[in-house]
Amino acid sequence: MKSYTHRSSDKKRMKKEKIWISWHYHRRSDFLAREFGSDYYHFGTSAKSRLSRYRESIGRTITTIRHDRPGILFVQNPSIILVLLAVMLKQFFRYILINDLHTPYIDLPPVLAKLFWALQRFCIRHSDLTIVTNDNFRQRLHVDGVMILPDTVPSFDIEGDDNRLEGINILYVCTFAEDEPYGSVFRAAELLPDGFRIFVTGNFRKAGIDRDALSGRIDLTGYLPDREYLALLSRVDIVMVLTEQEGCIVCGGYEGVSLSKPLILSDTDTLKGYFSSGAVYTRHDERSIADAIIKAAGDRESLKKELESLKESLRKEWLKDFNMITFRIEDLKQEAGL
């Protein structure tokens, strides 16, 4: 996790062309900040209460904007509070505001969800440009001024353990969020033949998972630092990422494509449209998930070949989308006289 701040002794204000601020570390923001030539600030905090975290992050954000006086401010969304703050400060600091709304998912009761999306649309209308990851999500927003930029297929420098794992090994990329059918995956493990093993990432304790009650084919890794996660990713045979949320493009899918790992993905229009080959798609009942695992294992060599072609296609499409956004930002700079 990264956090970038100014030295407290540095009192001089320095106008910077572009800065990127996030309150939660995300590989997408780190990567895009570099691609857009922005200084990247991640204001993570160890404060225990939500109120303390917000107070600290708000203070650091205001201090940074006052210090840097950016011509262009990129903000990671979520957090919606960060974007609202950026919208309010825009009238005082006169920057171009670019809102990177990278996920459609949030688990809220219906009344709060309605308020949340009303706030999102308010922020989009008051941002100069909003970026989302796919067209399905853009259409659901019903707001102008939105462009598409998926996550890129990453390139990893992996310090790997080259020892092969025995049997057929699946990495189930999971965060134990409400949109992830991890219970069905645990039950699906009981239906698999001998020799299959499912590594499950993420903080299982927050979901109250009793690891002793699970199949011996399930290996709960807990939260893994990047280096350990990538080392495991490089050693497994198949990557599985599941979401019940239409309009969500899963990061684990990009990571699997990067290393040509056959994918098992949810049977959503968004995922089938984006990861159009190299994958087996599944419904979320345990029988369907078990069948998808067995099929991916049997077809993994042909799926790997499909992924090599898909990887090149996705990178070309990403560059085209990135260039279109770059041109739009240049237009905004001219309109603002920057």
Side-chain angles (χ1 to χ4, degrees):
M1 185 172 289
K2 303 182 180 180
S3 180
Y4 298 91
T5 60
H6 294 294
R7 296 183 181 89
S8 58
S9 60
D10 185 1
K11 302 295 186 182
K12 184 179 179 181
R13 289 180 177 175
M14 301 169 56
K15 184 171 179 63
K16 294 187 177 179
E17 182 186 3
K18 304 172 188 173
I19 67 172
W20 188 299
I21 295 178
S22 71
W23 287 0
H24 310 279
Y25 180 75
H26 197 284
R27 188 179 286 126
R28 172 183 171 91
S29 291
D30 197 348
F31 173 79
L32 288 180
R34 291 196 302 272
E35 292 300 302
F36 283 115
S38 306
D39 285 4
Y40 177 50
Y41 297 90
H42 163 235
F43 295 143
T45 171
S46 59
K48 291 184 178 180
S49 74
R50 180 171 295 184
L51 182 60
S52 296
R53 290 197 300 271
Y54 281 146
R55 184 169 58 243
E56 184 176 336
S57 296
I58 288 170
R60 295 171 76 182
T61 298
I62 294 172
T63 298
T64 299
I65 292 172
R66 287 181 62 191
H67 180 280
D68 287 2
R69 301 284 175 154
I72 300 174
L73 173 63
F74 295 84
V75 287
Q76 177 183 298
N77 185 0
S79 166
I80 185 62
I81 304 299
L82 168 58
V83 189
L84 281 168
L85 178 63
V87 167
M88 289 188 292
L89 294 176
K90 183 183 174 187
Q91 60 183 315
F92 301 105
F93 295 101
R94 306 291 182 183
Y95 43 70
I96 294 169
L97 177 58
I98 301 178
N99 170 12
D100 184 44
L101 178 52
H102 68 81
T103 178
Y105 178 74
I106 186 166
D107 179 36
L108 290 172
V111 173
L112 289 180
K114 187 174 182 179
L115 173 61
F116 174 83
W117 286 110
L119 289 175
Q120 286 285 14
R121 293 184 178 92
F122 172 83
C123 288
I124 293 170
R125 287 193 295 269
H126 289 84
S127 299
D128 295 283
L129 174 62
T130 294
I131 302 170
V132 298
T133 58
N134 62 88
D135 189 55
N136 181 288
F137 188 13
R138 179 173 66 175
Q139 290 182 31
R140 287 170 57 193
L141 291 171
H142 304 294
V143 183
D144 293 332
V146 179
M147 297 183 72
I148 297 170
L149 184 63
D151 288 355
T152 188
V153 176
S155 297
F156 294 124
D157 182 16
I158 298 175
E159 298 176 11
D161 178 352
D162 293 331
N163 295 328
R164 282 275 305 157
L165 296 169
E166 294 183 1
I168 303 297
N169 296 278
I170 300 95
L171 179 61
Y172 173 38
V173 183
C174 181
T175 63
F176 294 94
E178 292 293 328
D179 67 317
E180 297 172 324
Y182 50 84
S184 294
V185 173
F186 295 156
R187 292 189 294 273
E190 302 280 359
L191 305 177
L192 295 173
D194 291 339
F196 282 76
R197 186 180 183 189
I198 304 176
F199 293 91
V200 184
T201 66
N203 182 4
F204 60 90
R205 291 180 180 86
K206 77 175 185 180
I209 302 300
D210 178 6
R211 65 193 318 164
D212 294 331
L214 301 179
S215 164
R217 299 186 183 95
I218 294 288
D219 189 328
L220 299 175
T221 69
Y223 170 78
L224 294 174
D226 257 13
R227 195 160 84 174
E228 294 178 30
Y229 171 76
L230 293 174
L232 179 58
L233 178 68
S234 71
R235 297 179 68 198
V236 299
D237 302 287
I238 297 163
V239 172
M240 178 164 64
V241 200
L242 304 175
T243 176
E244 296 173 348
Q245 181 67 36
E246 184 63 79
C248 181
I249 298 184
V250 290
C251 294
Y254 299 108
E255 294 162 351
V257 172
S258 176
L259 298 182
S260 297
K261 301 291 181 178
L263 301 173
I264 299 172
L265 301 172
S266 298
D267 188 21
T268 68
D269 291 339
T270 301
L271 292 177
K272 288 189 294 185
Y274 193 77
F275 300 102
S276 56
S277 58
V280 175
Y281 312 101
T282 182
R283 297 187 301 276
H284 291 159
D285 61 280
E286 55 263 38
R287 181 73 265 173
S288 295
I289 293 171
D291 288 346
I293 291 171
I294 293 168
K295 177 173 175 53
D299 295 346
R300 61 187 184 278
E301 292 307 318
S302 61
L303 292 171
K304 284 181 183 179
K305 291 178 182 177
E306 291 178 10
L307 286 169
E308 288 299 328
S309 175
L310 178 65
K311 186 189 310 184
E312 185 63 24
S313 172
L314 290 178
R315 284 177 170 160
K316 287 180 179 178
E317 285 298 312
W318 184 90
L319 185 58
K320 182 175 72 173
D321 291 336
F322 177 80
N323 286 337
M324 290 178 64
I325 289 175
T326 299
F327 295 148
R328 178 59 187 144
I329 291 172
E330 289 302 314
D331 289 343
L332 289 170
K333 287 170 62 177
Q334 290 185 15
E335 292 168 9
L338 296 180

